[in-house]
Amino acid sequence: MKVILTYGTFDLFHVGHVRLLERLSKLGDKLIVGLSSDEFNNGKGKSSFFSYQERAEILASCKFVDLVIPEHTWEQKETDIKKYNVDVFAMGDDWEGRFDSLKSLCEVVYLPRTKSISTSEIKTLIAELKKNDLDKVQKSLNDAIEIIKKLNYSE
């Protein structure tokens, strides 16, 4: 049995995640996903919209994923490779070269990301929507204040 291992935060689960997991699953017989814990994310200066438990449930429901394990530290990758008898350690190509040190333990591959989608882009779009909405509310309030001022001056 060929075991594949990958890691990630997998927040705001989207089609890019699905496509990556599908490609990863085709590399072997069993796909294990190391999912960044909330504490680990906090230590990296990241925060997730969904909690670890929610993200783990979402990942576990994906037909391409066989096992979800918590990722607590950067250093645990070597231990996990040995513990789960991993044949292939795989990551998105945005991590190219960062895990080459694991090549003495297993094959290391970097897969291309899905074009035109990322969690960071989604979060940016949501933030921009919120800002646009707030800007519209502020403009409406400013317009209302101006109307009230004009009404008060005309009396």
Side-chain angles (χ1 to χ4, degrees):
M1 174 180 285
K2 193 171 184 180
V3 178
I4 312 304
L5 175 63
T6 192
Y7 290 86
T9 301
F10 294 94
D11 195 21
L12 301 180
F13 197 77
H14 53 72
V15 70
H17 292 136
V18 173
R19 290 175 183 167
L20 176 64
L21 293 170
E22 180 180 22
R23 285 182 280 144
L24 290 168
S25 73
K26 289 179 179 178
L27 296 176
D29 304 302
K30 181 177 182 179
L31 176 58
I32 301 172
V33 178
L35 180 64
S36 298
S37 68
D38 295 331
E39 298 77 20
F40 185 46
N41 277 339
N42 288 338
K44 295 186 287 184
K46 293 174 75 175
S47 63
S48 295
F49 183 81
F50 293 108
S51 70
Y52 171 84
Q53 291 78 15
E54 292 166 322
R55 291 179 288 120
E57 186 175 336
I58 291 166
L59 272 174
S61 71
C62 180
K63 69 181 182 179
F64 304 115
V65 176
D66 297 295
L67 178 64
V68 178
I69 60 172
E71 178 186 25
H72 298 291
T73 67
W74 291 109
E75 297 76 25
Q76 84 178 64
K77 289 172 180 58
E78 184 174 332
T79 305
D80 288 344
I81 288 169
K82 292 174 183 174
K83 179 179 179 179
Y84 295 103
N85 297 312
V86 171
D87 298 291
V88 179
F89 175 86
M91 295 292 287
D93 63 2
D94 51 328
W95 291 95
E96 185 87 38
R98 299 276 300 273
F99 299 107
D100 287 353
S101 62
L102 300 174
K103 287 182 178 181
S104 63
L105 301 171
C106 64
E107 181 182 356
V108 176
V109 299
Y110 302 97
L111 298 179
R113 293 175 55 101
T114 303
K115 302 262 189 261
S116 304
I117 189 162
S118 77
T119 303
S120 299
E121 289 172 5
I122 292 170
K123 286 182 176 182
T124 299
L125 287 172
I126 290 170
E128 287 174 4
L129 286 175
K130 287 181 185 177
K131 183 181 179 330
N132 287 340
D133 290 343
L134 289 173
D135 289 346
K136 287 177 187 175
V137 169
Q138 183 175 6
K139 182 180 180 338
S140 296
L141 289 173
N142 288 340
D143 291 347
I145 290 168
E146 289 302 314
I147 291 168
I148 291 168
K149 283 180 184 177
K150 288 179 183 174
L151 289 173
N152 284 336
Y153 290 133
S154 64
E155 292 178 2

